[in-house]
Amino acid sequence: MVDVPQWLIIILALVYAPIIGLFLMGIERKLSARFQGRIGPPLFQPYYDLMKLFSKEALVLNRVQILYAYLHLAFMMVTVVLLVLGQDLLLVLFAHAFSTICLILGGMCVRSPYSRIGSHRKIMQMVAYEPIMILMVIGIYINQGSFMGRDVFLLGKPMLLTLPLIFVAFVVAGMIKLDKSPFDVATSHHAHQELVKGITIEYSGPFLGIIELTFAYEVFVIFGVMACFWTTNLWAGLGLALAGYGTMILVDNLTARLTTNWMVRYMWSIPLVLALSNLIWIYK
Amino acid sequence: MNKAIIVTALVAGPVLWGVVAGLSKPAKMRNAFVILGSFFTIIAGLLALKGGRFTFSPGPWEAGLSFALELATILAILGVAIRIRSRPILYLAALQLAVALAGHIIGTGTGGVLEPVFILDALSMVLVLVISLVGPVIVLFAIGYMEQHAHHAPPTAAGERRFFFIMLAFLGAMNGLVLANSLQWLASFWEITTLCSFFLIGYDGTDESRANAQRALLINTFGGLALTVGSFWCITHGTDTLTGLKAAQLVIPMAFLCLAALTKSAQVPFQSWLLGAMVAPTPVSALLHSATMVKAGSYLVLRLAPAFRGTDLMVVLALTGAFTFAAASFLAIVQSNAKKVLAYSTISNLGLIVACAGIDSPLAYAAAVMILIYHAVSKGLLFLCVGTIEQSIGSRDIEDMGGIMYKMPFTTVVALLGMVSMLLPPFGMLLSKWMAIEASINMPVVMFLIVVGSAFSVLFWAKWLGRIQTVSFHPRYTLEPLSPFMRASLFILAVGVLVLGFGSIILYRDILRPMVTGIFQRIPVGVSEWSIFRADSEFAFWPFIVIPGVFLILAIISSLRIRREQVRLPYLAGENVDMKDWSVDGDVLSYSFRTFRDRFEPAWSSSQYMRSSVNEAKIVPWLNMVAFLLILAMFGKIHLL
Amino acid sequence: MKALARSPWICHYNCNSCNGCDIELLACLTPLYDVERFGVINVGNPKHADILVVTGSVNHRNARVLKNIYDQVPKPNVVVALGVCTSSGGIFAGCYNILGGIDKVIPVDVFVVGCPPKPEAMIDGFAKAIGLLDAKAKGLSTPLAEKPRICMVPTVRPEAEAPVSSEKA
Ligand code: SF4
């Protein structure tokens, strides 16, 4: 392999991750529209949305919320950087969690009931999916004997073969992360009327743009992790990730939003049991 | 002699200053002595750091002195028990007295190597630094706090003279406790800290505080009894020092000492005394939770842990600690009382320390020491902040803390810093939790409990953080008036949190790792045990600092560029009440909306406490039961049951 | 074309409407008309919107609310008024509580006539609004809309014609 300097990888990742993420979001909008019998927006609609948001006037409630919007993005960038550098996966998970925590705090620091309710629902979402994420990291550890992300590539055989149930659980957890139905209780790209945009309600203009940008990074992260389940062949990995992403979109269109309590109960039963049984299976 | 001076300065110094301060009647003079005593303690701690490690045996007369001290403290407890008419404490103390006397009469016998009486090694050094750097800052805070407190303290409150005497004496006793190698000295200092905490918790003299002080005394006397039994066992096996005990690898007395440690560090099922301790004035809680008292327990576990590697005791200890960590974090979610949240968080962190000590890996051990340091500083800071806030807004309920960012920006920012340091990188708590999780990979149950506990702790910190920083837009902030002592000590601790936070990886790599390698010296440590955690060598640390740092600066710039015209009211379906006056915090008006008949209602949503699905009173007995069974298992495993 | 014109998010405020316009507006989002082709999203929150779509007439109680919501839409923004109610009060004109069209409270950029307007007319209105957005994004000044001549007002009480300032409300 060519020896690419670390800083170059980081810059490339930081530049290309949101581009890829936005493209995936465009595919999703198009696909969802097709599922609903519509033509849908252009493929590059998410780019336009983002550019528009950055050109709008910023309305704020206080100064603190700005801080958290930026930190939300910063920690998501850290996540991406650590992931592409193949760093310790537990740390990646922490960085990812901090990004979400910053969003939650941003929603809580304003005196808006909608936004606070959104924040609390986001907290419950974290409670629902974090165990799955950590079980996934443990599974990877048992699989390869280290926490380092780059060791996944040294394994020589696809992770999916040993961790199939964890992959399924991860797809479900990813749906929560990407705010897909039936788990989109905190905020959603569709539920504009019911949730009044939940946690992001008091952000507008460029600050909403920052949050959308972060979402693009997040799509990239989830997509990338799914692709890493098949490391031996690039196309197979991409196919796997696309299949997982497609499933998310399909389920998003098929189901209705359910309650927070249902979500926590569901996640702590079926996907958690799936992940645990996978762990028990590979544990010697 | 140099060593003698250092030991005397650390142990007797604070006590003597406390006596002087306690004897001086005029408040000004007393404060001056308290300040001098605090600085003296800090200097003593720094001297100890400079002096480096040593072992010290004063001479043959020390045994008599320590025995006299132990007898005196046990008798004092007996006296207290008689005065407060508590039979259980009386019985426990009497039993302890009998065991201690029996141990003295039997004696270790002759022969055997003479072990040093006081040891200042790396672990003691860490503790001495924590006690004598954080402790005095809290005492300084107390000067300002108690002036305020005197105005609304109940008439039954004990005098401030006694208060400051005990606070300073506490520091001395704690220093003695961590320096002592002889079990007799250990036991006497142990009992002194128990007594001190009893007096401090009962300071206000109300019915509630007296009852809680009594409970603290009861539980800690039980722990003291366990300690005495453990040392009695050691004496019958020919040693009366910690080093001797470790060399002989006597598991049974170690289990007793661990039991004592569990009571002192308020692990489930012994947590109730620490929760009750919050009735005391806030500096007392800060001292008990951060620098002293509870740290004595975790210190003892850490001191003993390398000696019982590989035994079943270790596994059970790890389980007990991890269980406490998860259970206490869980219970903290349902609390809205700020001090109670902090208390549960202390208990959970101590549980994590115990769990790490039990994980049987140098990595986890390093994590434990790290948690001990970071927890002491951050928790001390947080308690002081809550005390300040409580004096200002008259409530310690988290839900009442919205908007204090404007009323008291200094305290709020410091409190935010403290909370963030418990949660986010680059502060050390995160690093140590990470280390703990990675080290526990071979103990799935422990790992699961730690992971679950961490998730819960994120939850309750996030709720509190969210409430405390809720604020409306204000063009200008003005610092709140605060007693100079309080402001100075908050400032010192905040700087400490920052410095330690940014130095966390350096601290781990350059200080803790060599130290722990030294502690685990006698037992071969495989390279692999360190290599799970490759943070120090391969960790790309700079993105973690640089990216959030850059964005922090960007955020500050763009938030300063916000003009008044850009500020809007929250979306309340258009029914907002107009914001008229920007200079006042429009707590009520600007966040109200119009309901029918043009009434104004404030827009309000409380945090989630899950009280509908979690009933603390019902759950606690079950948790206690599980923990009790775990402790029984501890004794079962060593074939004592 | 500026990005703003490619992604016009609308926020819909029902200002005393009979719901006819609202239903027709939602019809625009259905597969038949699918305004999302132009990037239009119907958001529920003025703070995220670019186009404020108002239906119905203004009465004494909701004038304040309308003004408030308009203030919460970040600039550059465009106001589209749907239906004749928004221009004159429509079939409600002359009621004891009606002030008249929404142009008495907020500046209106596009009037779409009809009772209710057909989705085609609405899409036409949105196209106009998008053109105005583009112009506003480029920093040009745009004229306010002419009030449509169609008027369904049988009788107008004189006091209802008085302009209302937001302070008074
Ligand atoms: S214009 Fe016609 S359809 Fe629209 S709100 Fe008025 S009355 Fe109803």
Side-chain angles (χ1 to χ4, degrees), chain B residues 568-578 594-598, chain C residues 13 44-47 61 64-65 68-69 71-73 75 166 169:
Chain B
R568 291 292 187 279
L569 292 175
Y571 176 70
L572 294 172
E575 287 285 7
N576 308 70
V577 175
D578 282 343
R594 278 176 213 241
T595 66
F596 77 109
R597 299 181 67 182
D598 277 351
Chain C
Y13 177 58
N45 168 10
K47 298 194 171 175
R61 294 196 58 84
R64 177 177 45 80
V65 177
N68 210 332
I69 288 197
D71 281 344
Q72 291 183 356
V73 181
K75 303 262 171 338
S166 63

Side-chain angles (χ1 to χ4, degrees), chain C residues 17-18 20-21 56 83-85 91-92 114-116:
Chain C
S17 122
C18 80
C21 285
V84 283
C85 283
I91 57 162
F92 302 109
C115 178

Side-chain angles (χ1 to χ4, degrees), chain C residues 45-68:
Chain C
N45 168 10
K47 298 194 171 175
H48 296 178
D50 308 300
I51 301 180
L52 180 63
V53 177
V54 186
T55 58
S57 52
V58 176
N59 62 28
H60 282 289
R61 294 196 58 84
N62 67 20
R64 177 177 45 80
V65 177
L66 179 61
K67 177 88 176 69
N68 210 332

Side-chain angles (χ1 to χ4, degrees), chain B residues 81-220:
Chain B
I82 291 169
R83 211 188 69 201
I84 61 176
R85 298 208 183 81
S86 164
R87 273 169 196 273
I89 300 178
L90 188 68
Y91 294 150
L92 285 176
L95 203 57
Q96 195 180 353
L97 187 65
V99 177
L101 279 175
H104 191 69
I105 292 164
I106 294 173
T108 46
T110 47
V113 251
L114 259 183
E115 300 280 353
V117 177
F118 291 104
I119 292 185
L120 183 67
D121 62 358
L123 182 63
S124 313
M125 182 75 89
V126 168
L127 263 295
V128 163
L129 285 180
V130 166
I131 295 161
S132 52
L133 295 185
V134 180
V137 179
I138 296 173
V139 176
L140 282 181
F141 178 89
I143 298 177
Y145 185 90
M146 294 313 279
E147 273 169 14
Q148 291 279 320
H149 186 75
H151 297 313
H152 46 79
T156 45
E160 279 176 45
R161 289 160 59 194
R162 193 164 91 180
F163 178 82
F164 282 110
F165 162 62
I166 296 178
M167 289 284 267
L168 283 170
F170 209 146
L171 296 181
M174 273 303 291
N175 272 334
L177 201 158
V178 298
L179 287 177
N181 184 40
S182 131
L183 284 170
Q184 211 159 52
W185 278 108
L186 182 74
S188 15
F189 286 125
W190 191 273
E191 295 310 327
I192 293 178
T193 57
T194 301
L195 267 179
C196 286
S197 66
F198 167 75
F199 284 123
L200 288 176
I201 295 171
Y203 173 81
D204 272 350
T206 57
D207 283 348
E208 190 191 6
S209 69
R210 264 188 284 153
N212 289 346
Q214 189 175 334
R215 182 150 35 138
L217 188 62
L218 175 66
I219 290 175
N220 281 311

